[in-house]
Amino acid sequence: MKALVCRKPGKLIFEDRPAPGRPGAGWALVSISHIGICGTDYHIFEGKHPYLAYPRVMGHELSGTVTAIGEGVAIELGERVVVNPYFACGKCIACRHDKPNCCVSIEVLGVHRDGGMCEELLVPVANLYPVAGLSLVDAAAVEFLAIGAHAVRRSRLAAGRNTLVIGAGPIGLGTALFARIAGQAVTVMDVSRERLDFAEGQLGFPVIDGASLSPVDLVRERTDGDCFDLVFDATGNKASIQAAFSYVAHGGALTMVSVIKDEISFSDPEFHKREMLLIGSRNALGVDFDHVMAAMHDGAVPVAKLITHHTTLEDSPHDIARWAHQKSGLIKAVIVI
């Protein structure tokens, strides 16, 4: 089969690989249809991902069709599915507490093990969710939207709160959309005027220009001096994450959606006087995938506006390398098999 392999940072190879073979008990073979290109994939290409060994077949935002099944599999041949790319051990403390998304031994497709930028993939049937009427191109957006939906659910603050999402990339916009679906009053911050224009003009969010000389003054002005009850950082940028602490209201919370290699620091007195919560959010759970698909069915997620670019598997080495550095007009790109 054909596969896209990142041999090392900066080197993508389109090559032939052996087909996966027949699925064993509890597994299914999926013919991959569409692959969303994630910030994680760009980070892998650029050598910035903290959990990766090369070479690697990237790709974890996946939709496809079941073409073969192993014993004991309760799914039909021909079923169109979304792939949950998080493979958990089922035994560790996180799994025992129903948090397989942060399993001690988690293996994420396209990160810890080879992913779906290929023609076929073996997947445990427990990681497959029927698309239930969604198109396969829309289904490829479910996983990245589930990251935001999970972060919102992790935040645990009530509806009606003033919420700031920092970062108007796909994960940030997904977080903003699901915060709004949860009834929060959402503002989006970014340093890119183009992305702010998209968030405001296409998605209807009020925005704050993070490239201004004093964004914290804009935050205070927008909130009558209170700052935001809930702040999400989805930038993957150390300086942004550290600055986000100052945007949180007293009694509020900061949820860190992105992951970086660096250590971060913050003022302990400022943290304590706010009695603020600092929340990590990693991956997503099945309930988040279900929530996203239900919201998409209800028309609450404008997927067609979010998917701005398409490519093929054959053209993806060139396009991924280009889009890693040229992001003008790009929100979400999808590989079509």
Side-chain angles (χ1 to χ4, degrees):
M1 68 172 181
K2 298 295 185 182
L4 178 64
V5 184
C6 188
R7 283 287 172 191
K8 61 182 181 178
K11 186 174 183 180
L12 293 171
I13 302 295
F14 183 60
E15 67 182 31
D16 285 308
R17 284 199 160 191
R22 296 289 302 177
W27 287 64
L29 181 66
V30 177
S31 176
I32 301 298
S33 171
H34 293 77
I35 308 145
I37 303 174
C38 179
T40 295
D41 301 317
Y42 296 121
H43 287 162
I44 292 169
F45 172 71
E46 295 172 312
K48 297 178 180 178
H49 199 284
Y51 304 129
L52 192 107
Y54 298 89
R56 181 63 68 224
V57 177
M58 304 183 298
H60 60 274
E61 300 177 7
L62 310 171
S63 66
T65 302
V66 174
T67 55
I69 56 175
E71 294 181 7
V73 170
I75 199 166
E76 298 293 328
L77 289 174
E79 186 82 74
R80 299 189 306 167
V81 293
V82 172
V83 176
N84 180 334
Y86 321 125
F87 291 13
C89 72
K91 300 175 182 179
C92 72
I93 185 169
C95 290
R96 296 197 305 270
H97 291 166
D98 296 322
K99 290 178 65 67
N101 61 305
C102 55
C103 168
V104 171
S105 303
I106 197 167
E107 291 188 305
V108 180
L109 288 173
V111 179
H112 306 94
R113 60 191 296 163
D114 283 342
M117 289 190 182
C118 58
E119 294 177 314
E120 294 182 306
L121 190 67
L122 287 171
V123 183
V125 71
N127 289 66
L128 299 177
Y129 308 139
V131 300
L134 298 178
S135 69
L136 283 170
V137 62
D138 286 359
V142 170
E143 191 275 340
F144 91 82
L145 291 167
I147 298 295
H150 181 74
V152 171
R153 196 164 57 83
R154 286 276 295 153
S155 68
R156 297 179 292 180
L157 288 186
R161 300 296 183 90
N162 279 332
T163 296
L164 177 67
V165 177
I166 311 168
I171 298 298
L173 292 175
T175 302
L177 287 166
F178 280 90
R180 185 164 65 187
I181 288 169
Q184 295 165 10
V186 183
T187 298
V188 173
M189 177 188 285
D190 202 284
V191 297
S192 165
R193 187 69 251 175
E194 181 181 56
R195 288 201 166 185
L196 290 176
D197 289 344
F198 181 89
E200 185 174 37
Q202 296 295 316
L203 302 180
F205 291 108
V207 299
I208 292 176
D209 186 353
S212 65
L213 291 177
S214 183
V216 69
D217 289 340
L218 296 179
V219 165
R220 289 172 181 153
E221 178 184 327
R222 188 67 62 87
T223 58
D224 296 325
D226 290 335
C227 295
F228 285 91
D229 302 301
L230 181 59
V231 177
F232 295 89
D233 190 280
T235 64
N237 179 276
K238 178 179 179 178
S240 175
I241 293 170
Q242 293 181 159
F245 284 81
S246 63
Y247 307 150
V248 180
H250 283 238
L254 170 60
T255 301
M256 294 170 57
V257 190
S258 56
V259 59
I260 60 174
K261 279 186 174 182
D262 299 313
E263 295 182 355
I264 63 166
S265 60
F266 57 89
S267 166
D268 189 59
E270 291 295 320
F271 177 79
H272 272 84
K273 79 179 185 181
R274 286 169 167 78
E275 198 184 46
M276 63 178 281
L277 293 172
L278 178 59
I279 301 169
S281 182
R282 187 183 188 194
N283 302 329
L285 293 167
V287 64
D288 303 307
F289 282 76
D290 291 340
H291 179 37
V292 169
M293 287 191 280
M296 291 170 75
H297 276 295
D298 291 343
V301 182
V303 184
K305 292 181 179 180
L306 299 173
I307 299 176
T308 56
H309 290 58
H310 297 80
T311 187
T312 63
L313 196 61
E314 292 84 353
D315 291 338
S316 58
H318 169 75
D319 288 333
I320 290 174
R322 178 166 54 92
W323 292 333
H325 306 289
Q326 300 175 13
K327 290 189 167 62
S328 180
L330 174 65
I331 300 297
K332 172 60 63 175
V334 171
I335 299 171
V336 182
I337 304 295

